[in-house]
Amino acid sequence: KIMAQHESSSLYPNRPRWSCFTSLRKRVHWFIGEGRLHISYDDFMTVVTLFVLFGDWIKVLWFPPSADNAFIVLLNISFFLFLAEMIMNCWAKSDFTKGIFHVKGYMFNFFFWLDLLCIVSMVPDLKWMASLFGISELSGTSVGAKVGKAGKIGAKTGRVIRMVRLIRLVKLYKIASQKKRERK
């Protein structure tokens, strides 16, 4: 009742209910689109995406087993960066003026579902998250045939996950090329 009175107040007839966040929302939108540290945000997230795609292979090929914990920490940081990016995109690049079921912009579009699939595909890579959802690795007590079958399934799943992440990389490349064209 109080919110309805506030919304219908003649003092602020065109002011959205959450207008106090408008400035912050514009800043987040600017940071996602144009923000620069020393590299652009898109470049940074491209590096993070490349790490998620190839970090495990780099770890196995060039680092001793003692470096595993550092890679696990970096993978966890990558997961939370992807999650934060998705939340910021939903908030700053979506228009909720017509309600939650009539959203325009990033929320529920193709790239939203792609980012969500990317985040969900990282769950088996994070041991704490996999155990939380009951997707623990094989214990090693299985019969050889079951392990072989599980290995084939795991390899196929891994290829699908890498393809989803590569599509994300293509998305980041598309955004970067659009910004480059806009600057010219």
Side-chain angles (χ1 to χ4, degrees):
K1 215 173 189 182
I2 293 172
M3 290 300 281
Q5 288 174 354
H6 174 71
E7 288 178 16
S8 64
S9 171
S10 62
L11 295 174
Y12 306 107
N14 296 325
R15 189 173 179 179
R17 188 167 71 186
W18 300 104
S19 64
C20 58
F21 291 112
T22 303
S23 175
L24 180 62
R25 184 173 185 228
K26 287 179 183 177
R27 288 180 187 169
V28 168
H29 185 73
W30 174 86
F31 178 74
I32 291 170
E34 303 296 326
R36 301 260 184 238
L37 300 174
H38 289 286
I39 61 172
S40 73
Y41 175 78
D42 291 327
D43 294 341
F44 174 71
M45 289 308 289
T46 301
V47 170
V48 172
T49 303
L50 287 171
F51 171 77
V52 170
L53 277 170
F54 305 113
D56 195 42
W57 295 344
I58 292 169
K59 175 184 73 168
V60 170
L61 288 174
W62 291 313
F63 289 91
S66 60
D68 286 356
N69 288 335
F71 277 87
I72 290 170
V73 168
L74 290 173
L75 191 62
N76 279 293
I77 291 171
S78 300
F79 174 79
F80 287 111
L81 285 171
F82 286 147
L83 189 63
E85 178 190 31
M86 187 175 174
I87 291 169
M88 287 190 304
N89 279 329
C90 286
W91 184 56
K93 292 184 175 181
S94 298
D95 181 18
F96 295 98
T97 55
K98 294 184 179 180
I100 190 74
F101 298 110
H102 301 285
V103 178
K104 290 186 179 182
Y106 175 80
M107 189 80 157
F108 304 126
N109 75 5
F110 174 74
F111 292 119
F112 169 82
W113 295 111
L114 187 68
D115 288 344
L116 183 65
L117 188 60
C118 180
I119 290 170
V120 170
S121 74
M122 289 181 71
V123 170
D125 295 340
L126 306 170
K127 292 185 190 280
W128 64 273
M129 187 76 81
S131 65
L132 186 69
F133 289 107
I135 315 171
S136 300
E137 293 180 300
L138 294 173
S139 62
T141 60
S142 300
V143 181
K146 289 183 181 178
V147 172
K149 191 174 184 181
K152 289 179 185 177
I153 293 170
K156 287 180 183 180
T157 305
R159 285 192 291 270
V160 170
I161 289 170
R162 281 192 295 276
M163 287 305 298
V164 168
R165 292 178 184 165
L166 281 172
I167 292 171
R168 176 181 166 68
L169 191 61
V170 169
K171 171 193 154 191
L172 291 172
Y173 175 76
K174 178 183 168 189
I175 292 170
S177 64
Q178 283 177 346
K179 286 183 182 178
K180 189 176 183 181
R181 276 187 254 130
E182 289 173 3
R183 288 185 194 135
K184 288 184 178 182

